[in-house]
């Protein structure tokens, strides 16, 4: 009796495996491409919205596996290797480390698999090393320009923000990941725009918080105790770090309704939590990079190349000289926050 039960059990397993194999083949017969997608970290606020948009837009159009690389480049390599072994038709990759693109491209190129990088831009020589590689993202310098213009206009409109009356902006700056193109572009350009428009800047401090809200909060805890009322502006490379700074200074009585205890903060991303703070007046402004628009470009392009079509087939996008589709930024202040909310719907 026991032998019969064991035999029936193994027969059931064999039947189940056969059924699963047929289901996969049926998906391929239906013409749906197979995709491998990796996100550098699900904990990133902006990428979490972009990821959900990608998942929603791909549902019913492709068979895909979405991976969280947990900010670990070695783990991302393993995920990409696994996708290649599954013989995916295309890869969509949000890199952990932009300098790792060459190794990722070598892996994909060996199997002839096209790659759409997004949000974290590889180096030019890496993109150009393979004819089946493209990029979706923004121009890092543009967001810094918009931040700079936002600060410039607000500073000129609010002379009381010059607390010591010296005509200079005493500022603090929260940097993203060291070496990241967005970090470098935003940091450089916000300063350049202000300086080129006659604003004298005095840096109190500049620290790397790796896009992270808690790291930024810890840094700002030290800042507020050290510099206090001498802080006239906080520049942040993204919104998560801007929120961390806000939480820190609010704990010390700043930006909670008393106009005499206010430190203007600017960020980048226009995530909903920051939009709410802009509405309340506790954060000055941010720069929208639409997760919906970037997700749409990634999905359209990866579906095209996975199906053997031209990467821009059926779209209105254009490629620049580094094979990139650029999604424009937009300044967001209290006057136009509805535009940011729509982008995150």
């Amino acid at each position: 009796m026991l032998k019969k039960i064991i035999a029936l059990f193994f027969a059931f397993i064999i039947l189940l495996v056969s059924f699963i194999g047929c289901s996969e083949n049926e998906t391929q017969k239906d013409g749906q491409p197979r995709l491998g997608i990796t996100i550098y970290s699900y904990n990133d606020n902006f990428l979490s919205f972009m990821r959900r948009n990608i998942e929603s837009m791909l549902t019913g159009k492709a068979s895909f596996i979405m991976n969280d690389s947990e900010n670990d480049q070695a783990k991302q390599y393993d995920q990409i290797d696994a996708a290649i072994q599954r013989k995916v038709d295309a890869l969509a990759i949000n890199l952990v480390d932009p300098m790792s693109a060459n190794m990722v491209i070598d892996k994909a190129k060996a199997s002839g698999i096209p790659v759409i990088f997004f949000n974290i831009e590889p180096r030019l020589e890496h993109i150009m090393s393979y004819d089946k590689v493209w990029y979706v993202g923004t121009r890092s310098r543009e967001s810094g320009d918009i931040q700079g213009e936002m600060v410039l206009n607000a500073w000129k409109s609010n002379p009381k923000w010059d607390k010591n009356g010296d005509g200079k902006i005493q500022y603090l700056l929260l940097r993203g990941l060291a070496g990241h193109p967005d970090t470098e572009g935003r940091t450089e350009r916000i300063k350049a725009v202000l300086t080129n428009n006659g604003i004298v800047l005095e840096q109190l401090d500049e620290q790397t918080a790796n896009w992270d809200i808690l790291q930024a909060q810890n840094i700002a805890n030290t800042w507020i105790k050290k510099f206090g009322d001498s802080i006239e502006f906080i520049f942040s490379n993204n919104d998560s770090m801007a929120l961390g700074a806000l939480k820190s200074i609010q704990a010390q009585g700043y930006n909670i309704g008393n106009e005499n205890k206010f430190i203007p903060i600017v960020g980048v991303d226009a995530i909903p939590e920051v939009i709410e703070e802009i509405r309340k007046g506790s954060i000055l402004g941010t720069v929208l990079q639409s997760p919906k628009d970037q997700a749409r470009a990634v999905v359209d392009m990866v579906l095209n190349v996975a199906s053997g079509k031209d990467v821009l087939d059926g779209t209105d996008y254009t490629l620049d000289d580094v094979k990139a589709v650029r999604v424009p930024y937009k300044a967001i202040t209290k006057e136009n926050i509805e535009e940011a909310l729509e982008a995150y719907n």
Side-chain angles (χ1 to χ4, degrees), residues 54-239:
I54 290 173
E55 289 175 339
S56 175
M57 293 173 184
L58 281 177
T59 299
K61 297 179 180 179
S63 170
F64 63 93
I65 294 178
M66 184 88 73
N67 291 298
D68 179 3
S69 298
E70 299 179 354
N71 203 19
D72 182 338
Q73 189 57 63
K75 178 171 287 188
Q76 187 168 76
Y77 286 145
D78 290 342
Q79 292 165 346
I80 292 166
D81 287 340
I84 292 171
Q85 289 171 7
R86 289 195 300 272
K87 298 183 179 179
V88 296
D89 298 301
L91 292 163
I93 299 172
N94 170 232
L95 290 164
V96 173
D97 178 1
M99 295 303 295
S100 69
N102 60 330
M103 289 191 64
V104 172
I105 290 169
D106 286 345
K107 292 173 183 290
K109 190 174 183 179
S111 301
I113 298 173
V115 183
I116 306 294
F117 289 110
F118 62 95
N119 192 255
I120 296 179
E121 187 169 1
R123 293 175 61 138
L124 172 61
E125 60 265 32
H126 297 160
I127 290 181
M128 294 302 185
S129 69
Y130 182 31
D131 62 349
K132 295 182 180 180
V133 170
W134 299 269
Y135 175 69
V136 173
T138 53
R139 288 184 175 86
S140 303
R141 295 167 62 87
E142 182 184 348
S143 55
D145 287 343
I146 293 173
Q147 271 192 323
E149 291 164 4
M150 190 186 306
V151 172
L152 176 67
N153 294 333
W155 181 254
K156 288 183 174 180
S157 301
N158 295 275
K160 64 180 181 296
W161 289 358
D162 186 5
K163 297 175 182 176
N164 59 5
D166 66 352
K168 305 175 184 178
I169 299 179
Q170 277 78 38
Y171 75 94
L172 298 161
L173 194 147
L174 288 162
R175 293 171 55 90
L177 189 68
H180 191 293
D182 286 348
T183 298
E184 305 310 321
R186 293 169 187 174
T187 299
E188 174 193 343
R189 290 307 303 166
I190 188 172
K191 298 176 187 179
V193 168
L194 291 166
T195 301
N196 293 343
N197 280 276
I199 302 298
V200 180
L201 297 175
E202 183 178 320
Q203 180 177 288
L204 300 176
D205 198 8
E206 182 176 303
Q207 295 286 338
T208 296
N210 298 306
W211 311 122
D212 186 75
I213 185 171
L214 293 178
Q215 290 185 45
Q217 186 172 353
N218 290 333
I219 290 168
N221 286 342
T222 300
W223 282 347
I224 198 66
K225 291 175 184 176
K226 182 176 181 180
F227 300 111
D229 284 339
S230 63
I231 305 168
E232 293 177 339
F233 240 109
I234 297 177
F235 308 154
S236 176
N237 283 170
N238 83 338
D239 278 353

Side-chain angles (χ1 to χ4, degrees), residues 202-341:
E202 183 178 320
Q203 180 177 288
L204 300 176
D205 198 8
E206 182 176 303
Q207 295 286 338
T208 296
N210 298 306
W211 311 122
D212 186 75
I213 185 171
L214 293 178
Q215 290 185 45
Q217 186 172 353
N218 290 333
I219 290 168
N221 286 342
T222 300
W223 282 347
I224 198 66
K225 291 175 184 176
K226 182 176 181 180
F227 300 111
D229 284 339
S230 63
I231 305 168
E232 293 177 339
F233 240 109
I234 297 177
F235 308 154
S236 176
N237 283 170
N238 83 338
D239 278 353
S240 290
M241 296 186 298
L243 281 174
L246 177 65
K247 289 176 181 294
S248 174
I249 66 174
Q250 283 182 327
Q252 300 299 320
Y254 291 86
N255 296 34
I256 55 175
N258 181 352
E259 64 178 22
N260 294 321
K261 293 201 72 173
F262 179 73
I263 302 172
I265 303 171
V266 291
V268 177
D269 285 337
I271 62 175
E273 296 91 331
V274 162
I275 296 306
E276 182 57 31
E277 297 299 340
I278 293 173
R279 190 196 300 277
K280 293 189 294 188
S282 50
I283 287 181
L284 172 63
T286 185
V287 183
L288 172 65
Q289 58 165 335
S290 170
K292 184 183 293 185
D293 291 343
Q294 286 195 45
R296 169 54 62 195
V298 171
V299 168
D300 288 348
M301 292 167 68
V302 78
L303 286 177
N304 275 339
V305 297
S307 302
K309 300 177 183 177
D310 181 84
V311 68
L312 300 183
D313 185 69
T315 74
D316 295 325
Y317 309 127
T318 58
L319 293 173
D320 64 14
D321 55 355
V322 296
K323 301 195 295 180
V325 166
R326 305 290 182 177
V327 179
Y329 285 104
K330 189 167 192 175
I332 300 294
T333 60
K334 207 168 188 176
E335 287 68 38
N336 66 337
I337 55 176
E338 295 304 322
E339 295 180 41
L341 292 174

